[in-house]
Amino acid sequence: MGTVGARRCLEWLLGFYFLSHIPITLFLDLQGVFPSELYPVEFRNLLTWYSKEFKDPLLQDPPAWFKSFLFCELVFQLPFFPFATYAFFKGYCKWIRTPAIIYSVHTVTTLIPILFTFLFEEFSNASGFKGQGPETFHERLTLISIYAPYLLIPLILLLFMLRSPYYKHEDKRKKK
């Protein structure tokens, strides 16, 4: 399949990732930021089902630190998603390199405390999570597996932008 074919496959994967991220952010994640009355009952029920089924304490009753991540998702990431979707589906868009690096570093940085919370937090009634959260190691791993693509794909994106010869910055200085 050659390097051009592999690059296009990865660009399509990234295009689908950013395209899918738009409705997830708008209809699920941002319910932690906006008043619930703004959302149709179907979206509220979907979030309730998800957070109870997978015991996601961050979306059941978001703590302040997680709401700050959701606010950053609203202000910085959501506006970027349509541009990234376009750039990666179109392909050959070198202008996406710097914004993609910024996005990927920001996302990886926010996912580290989220995943550590799922792994190591004591979700007892005494904690700030009101007893909501995964109780067994299997439930913790299930929840981590839901969030893992939002760590892994930005890491792949970062490496792709930094290592791909196509996306590397070329100096266009005049020769004297």
Side-chain angles (χ1 to χ4, degrees):
M1 181 187 331
T3 57
V4 173
R7 185 182 79 231
R8 285 304 295 146
C9 285
L10 185 52
E11 287 173 333
W12 273 86
L13 169 74
L14 293 168
F16 281 116
Y17 167 81
F18 286 111
L19 181 64
S20 72
H21 217 315
I22 295 169
I24 292 168
T25 298
L26 285 173
F27 303 131
L28 292 177
D29 294 352
L30 293 182
Q31 287 188 48
V33 176
F34 294 128
S36 61
E37 299 80 40
L38 291 178
Y39 289 92
V41 69
E42 293 82 9
F43 290 138
R44 291 184 301 213
N45 289 344
L46 178 62
L47 181 63
T48 301
W49 169 83
Y50 160 78
S51 60
K52 299 279 188 215
E53 179 72 21
F54 295 100
K55 298 187 178 184
D56 188 336
L58 298 180
L59 288 176
Q60 284 180 32
D61 188 18
W65 66 267
F66 186 68
K67 284 184 181 183
S68 72
F69 289 176
L70 295 175
F71 181 76
C72 288
E73 188 173 0
L74 168 66
V75 173
F76 301 115
Q77 294 182 18
L78 185 60
F80 171 69
F81 295 156
F83 294 104
T85 301
Y86 168 80
F88 289 117
F89 279 145
K90 182 176 186 286
Y92 309 106
C93 295
K94 291 184 180 186
W95 54 265
I96 198 67
R97 183 178 192 264
T98 299
I101 290 171
I102 293 168
Y103 164 80
S104 60
V105 169
H106 176 267
T107 302
V108 167
T109 303
T110 61
L111 261 293
I112 292 170
I114 291 169
L115 295 177
F116 266 70
T117 298
F118 293 154
L119 271 176
F120 301 114
E121 182 68 44
E122 176 57 45
F123 295 104
S124 66
N125 289 331
S127 74
F129 292 103
K130 302 174 187 170
Q132 304 170 19
E135 296 168 6
T136 66
F137 188 67
H138 181 266
E139 290 172 344
R140 289 175 188 265
L141 289 180
T142 299
L143 193 53
I144 287 169
S145 70
I146 292 168
Y147 279 76
Y150 300 102
L151 172 71
L152 298 176
I153 293 176
L155 271 175
I156 291 168
L157 172 62
L158 178 62
L159 294 173
F160 183 49
M161 292 294 111
L162 294 176
R163 304 288 299 157
S164 171
Y166 182 79
Y167 283 101
K168 282 191 175 180
H169 178 70
E170 296 175 6
D171 245 353
K172 294 186 178 180
R173 296 181 187 180
K174 290 183 180 178
K175 294 182 180 179
K176 292 185 179 182

